[in-house]
Amino acid sequence: MNRAGNGRKVCALGVAGVLTGTVLAGCGDDDGSGSSQRGGTREQGTQAVRSAYDRTAEEDTAKVKLRVQTSAQGRSETANGQGAVDLEDGDSVLTLAVQGQRIEQRVIDQVLYQKMPKGQAPGGKPWIKIDLGKVAAERGTGDQSLSDPARSAAYAKAITDKDVTKKGTATIDGVRTTRYRVSVDVAELPDGDTLRKQVGPTLPMDVWLDDEGRMRRQQIDMAVKAAPGSTQRSSTDASTSPGKVTVRTVMDLTDFGTEVEADPPPAGQVTDMTGQALEQGRKGDGRS
């Protein structure tokens, strides 16, 4: 098993949720405990976070729960999802609940498939698909940016001792975990200059690790700049400033070793929306 490659798959679903607009989630209050670390204790925490991706990927598969929250223009929307993920190749199967509607989602070989609510899919077919790899390549971020769900282990490589703070313990799904607050320097990530324009200089991330060093929960907070020409207005919520969309994505992993059956839908039932996604990206970048 290629551990370096496998570790990169662990964050797939959280990022895929952002890509497909299924964004929102609130998770756990910070108790502030353990906020001061020095010397070897801090170094141990850094090593624990770095190795968590590989330790988790070694389990091959897991059940996953997502909670995603998006806030913009003073309003918030929530999406919840549950399913299973293959930690080795990044494939996943999810059922999403978005604005009272049910969406079936599959990610297979970096291609996203979604079964839309009845009457909402274009072309009279029940499924749409978007090639996430093509979208990432078009945006000039290759396959190692935040927009590619297969490369998120780059976070771990961008972590230094000063970036990790132990925040105490918590029980998640009956499992005792240790929580770490991580501030990832975006400049140290692949294509960091491009990412800084999208999410700012740092990426706040919290991880909860079990006694075996495996990731049980991950929370990523982003403030994503809106596309040029956005009509967003400021709100009383200081976290939702003009031209920004705040996103919190929380992913829980349980039941390691569960079976994952991720197969693409029949081709005749799928409308390819990759072209539309690419065009939308060009407009957002001001290229068309």
Side-chain angles (χ1 to χ4, degrees), residues 154 157-160 163 184-193 196 201:
K157 296 179 181 179
I159 295 170
T160 65
D163 298 323
V184 179
D185 185 351
V186 175
E188 296 298 321
L189 295 171
D191 299 301
D193 291 341
R196 282 174 64 92

Side-chain angles (χ1 to χ4, degrees), residues 78-127:
T78 304
N80 293 284
Q82 59 182 351
V85 58
D86 188 317
L87 301 169
E88 182 174 359
D89 60 25
D91 291 354
S92 63
V93 178
L94 273 180
T95 299
L96 304 168
V98 184
Q99 296 182 332
Q101 296 182 317
R102 181 179 179 274
I103 297 175
E104 185 178 344
Q105 175 174 298
R106 305 174 190 175
V107 177
I108 302 165
D109 295 331
Q110 297 190 49
V111 177
L112 170 72
Y113 298 90
Q114 284 191 335
K115 187 175 184 180
M116 308 301 292
K118 188 175 182 180
Q120 294 188 20
K125 299 177 182 179
W127 291 85

Side-chain angles (χ1 to χ4, degrees), residues 129-132 134-135 271-279:
K129 78 172 184 178
I130 298 175
D131 189 322
L132 302 179
K134 288 183 179 179
V135 172
T271 299
D272 192 341
M273 300 291 290
T274 304
Q276 289 87 333
L278 292 172
E279 183 61 27

Side-chain angles (χ1 to χ4, degrees), residues 15-175:
V15 180
V18 174
L19 284 172
T20 57
T22 58
V23 278
L24 202 173
C27 167
D29 294 330
D30 181 4
D31 61 6
S33 62
S35 59
S36 60
Q37 293 185 52
R38 297 180 182 178
T41 302
R42 183 181 290 275
E43 293 174 0
Q44 291 171 8
T46 303
Q47 182 57 38
V49 173
R50 283 177 170 170
S51 62
Y53 293 88
D54 287 341
R55 289 177 182 265
T56 308
E58 288 172 355
E59 300 295 339
D60 293 333
T61 62
K63 288 185 178 179
V64 64
K65 292 182 180 179
L66 280 180
R67 293 187 294 159
V68 192
Q69 175 176 337
T70 348
S71 299
Q73 297 179 282
R75 294 182 295 179
S76 294
E77 293 183 357
T78 304
N80 293 284
Q82 59 182 351
V85 58
D86 188 317
L87 301 169
E88 182 174 359
D89 60 25
D91 291 354
S92 63
V93 178
L94 273 180
T95 299
L96 304 168
V98 184
Q99 296 182 332
Q101 296 182 317
R102 181 179 179 274
I103 297 175
E104 185 178 344
Q105 175 174 298
R106 305 174 190 175
V107 177
I108 302 165
D109 295 331
Q110 297 190 49
V111 177
L112 170 72
Y113 298 90
Q114 284 191 335
K115 187 175 184 180
M116 308 301 292
K118 188 175 182 180
Q120 294 188 20
K125 299 177 182 179
W127 291 85
I128 64 170
K129 78 172 184 178
I130 298 175
D131 189 322
L132 302 179
K134 288 183 179 179
V135 172
E138 167 73 14
R139 294 186 64 82
T141 53
D143 63 352
Q144 296 196 20
S145 76
L146 286 176
S147 59
D148 189 327
R151 299 297 179 183
S152 53
Y155 298 158
K157 296 179 181 179
I159 295 170
T160 65
D161 292 342
K162 66 182 177 63
D163 298 323
V164 178
T165 304
K166 185 177 179 180
K167 304 300 289 186
T169 61
T171 300
I172 298 176
D173 291 320
V175 177

